[in-house]
Amino acid sequence: MATARATLTDVAREAGVGVATVSRALNGRPDVSAETTARVREVAAALGYRPSGTARALRRGSFSALSVIVPDSSWGWWEPVLRSAVTAAAEAGIHLFIHPATEGEGGLDALIEGLADVPTEGVIAVSVPDQLAIRAACDRIGLPVVAIDDSVHTLHLATVTVGNREGARQMTEHLIEQGHRRIAFVGAAMDELDPSWGEGLFIEERLAGYREALAAAGIPVDEDLVLGWRELGDETIELVAPLDDLLAAGDHPDAIFCVADLVAPAVLRTIARHGLVVPRDISVAGFDDERAASLMNPPLTTMRQPYDEMGRLAVDLLRTAIGGADTPVRYYTLPATLVERKSTAPV
């Protein structure tokens, strides 16, 4: 039977230091004392630890790469972020590996542990709900990690995000400026939110921005117009049930703000079912500016996430961490931009 290959974790346990210290010692980093470096190398030799050929290539400087963990789902808002990150990395002479977060054996832990044998210097985690698990797994193999996300309340990683609350407030103000007063909000039924949405922080923030804009304009929030859609994100659903019920009861909002662009197609179908026309009878707006926003009929007014800047900022933060500088655990927030198309119009 073959002997199991010694890992960084094995060396760290035997040497009595952290995995990150082992990684830095074996790579000859100056921030590890000569005594600790000698001890780590002695233990590594005794255990028969052998870094992979790709890791040796990294140390020689002949190859440089980063890894990106992405959701195991259809391409969505994060696809243009990923393209931007690839471009930013390439400009710095860095390759980018893409790893879908599948439901395979061992899950996320196994995926990240496997990166120990991949020529990668750090990890970008895109919209992965369990930041703590990623933090712990990356620490075990000595890899710095940052996130691109807006779904979790408690951060464990430096996280690039968009200004959801301010963006929603800006969109609601835009609808108010067009003369709309009865503005509905189609969000999610938070008590039945699919786990893939994480903790749904962005939904809460966008709803808060909507409420704040109405309050600032002196417009009371009609709770009957705050619609929690249980099938949020299910593209196979034809109609938005709570909106369908609202319109069937003869309750006609002036405008509808969708919590995300992916909600808008079902909203448009529901409106059309009741013989209403967008934007003549009801204006409709979204958030994200996914590619589909410009392909809808009519094209969707929305808040555009700064995809290019988000990808570049994530790469910059990760390179900073790789260089040994501090990257505080907090949100690094970029502003959204209003994109006006034909789905909204003045009353």
Side-chain angles (χ1 to χ4, degrees):
M1 180 180 294
T3 303
R5 177 177 173 178
T7 67
L8 282 175
T9 301
D10 297 329
V11 177
R13 185 185 304 111
E14 186 68 21
V17 297
V19 173
T21 300
V22 171
S23 178
R24 293 197 299 270
L26 294 177
N27 282 290
R29 292 279 290 271
D31 55 347
V32 182
S33 70
E35 180 182 355
T36 299
T37 296
R39 170 65 177 157
V40 167
R41 291 181 175 177
E42 179 184 341
V43 170
L47 294 178
Y49 172 76
R50 293 180 296 104
S52 66
T54 51
R56 289 194 295 271
L58 274 178
R59 289 202 303 275
R60 291 196 304 269
S62 58
F63 190 86
S64 186
L66 305 175
S67 288
V68 183
I69 299 173
V70 299
D72 185 24
S73 60
S74 59
W75 292 81
W77 65 268
W78 47 269
E79 184 269 338
V81 175
L82 190 57
R83 281 191 280 112
S84 173
V86 169
T87 300
E91 290 171 355
I94 300 171
H95 298 267
L96 218 62
F97 296 130
I98 312 301
H99 309 269
T102 63
E103 296 293 331
E105 184 177 351
L108 196 58
D109 274 357
L111 190 161
I112 294 176
E113 291 286 354
L115 297 182
D117 290 324
V118 173
T120 189
E121 297 174 276
V123 176
I124 298 173
V126 180
S127 198
V128 178
D130 193 349
Q131 285 199 357
L132 182 57
I134 292 179
R135 167 87 279 164
C138 285
D139 283 350
R140 284 196 297 273
I141 60 173
L143 285 179
V145 55
V146 301
I148 302 174
D149 199 2
D150 60 1
S151 66
V152 297
H153 290 89
T154 303
L155 295 183
H156 299 280
L157 306 171
T159 301
V160 176
T161 192
V162 67
N164 287 294
R165 183 183 296 233
E166 176 57 34
R169 184 164 55 240
Q170 185 178 347
M171 177 56 77
T172 308
E173 289 170 350
H174 172 68
L175 295 172
I176 293 170
E177 288 168 1
Q178 290 188 321
H180 303 294
R181 293 297 179 269
R182 301 196 72 249
I183 303 171
F185 180 90
V186 178
M190 298 298 290
D191 58 335
E192 297 186 13
L193 192 64
D194 188 278
S196 64
W197 293 97
E199 297 169 353
L201 177 61
F202 75 98
I203 299 172
E204 297 172 4
E205 289 289 286
R206 293 177 189 182
L207 176 56
Y210 157 85
R211 291 181 180 277
E212 288 172 2
L214 291 177
I219 302 172
V221 177
D222 184 346
E223 297 299 337
D224 290 338
L225 297 181
V226 179
L227 308 178
W229 189 25
R230 299 188 184 282
E231 288 81 19
L232 179 70
D234 187 343
E235 297 175 356
T236 66
I237 302 299
E238 184 72 15
L239 303 173
V240 178
L243 177 60
D244 191 38
D245 293 340
L246 186 74
L247 297 178
D251 201 349
H252 189 324
D254 301 332
I256 298 173
F257 179 18
C258 303
V259 70
D261 290 350
L262 59 83
V263 174
V267 166
L268 294 174
R269 290 192 293 268
T270 305
I271 292 172
R273 179 177 185 237
H274 292 269
L276 302 171
V277 177
V278 175
R280 185 193 69 194
D281 301 313
I282 303 177
S283 285
V284 176
F287 199 117
D288 290 332
D289 199 24
E290 294 189 29
R291 182 171 180 268
S294 62
L295 302 178
M296 295 180 199
N297 185 23
L300 188 67
T301 294
T302 187
M303 296 301 300
R304 187 176 198 276
Q305 294 206 46
Y307 299 116
D308 290 346
E309 294 88 343
M310 292 168 73
R312 288 183 174 275
L313 178 55
V315 170
D316 289 345
L317 285 171
L318 188 53
R319 293 180 66 199
T320 297
I322 291 169
D326 186 33
T327 51
V329 173
R330 64 174 178 86
Y331 275 121
Y332 295 77
T333 304
L334 297 170
T337 305
L338 176 67
V339 178
E340 189 172 3
R341 298 193 178 98
K342 294 182 178 180
S343 67
T344 57
V347 173

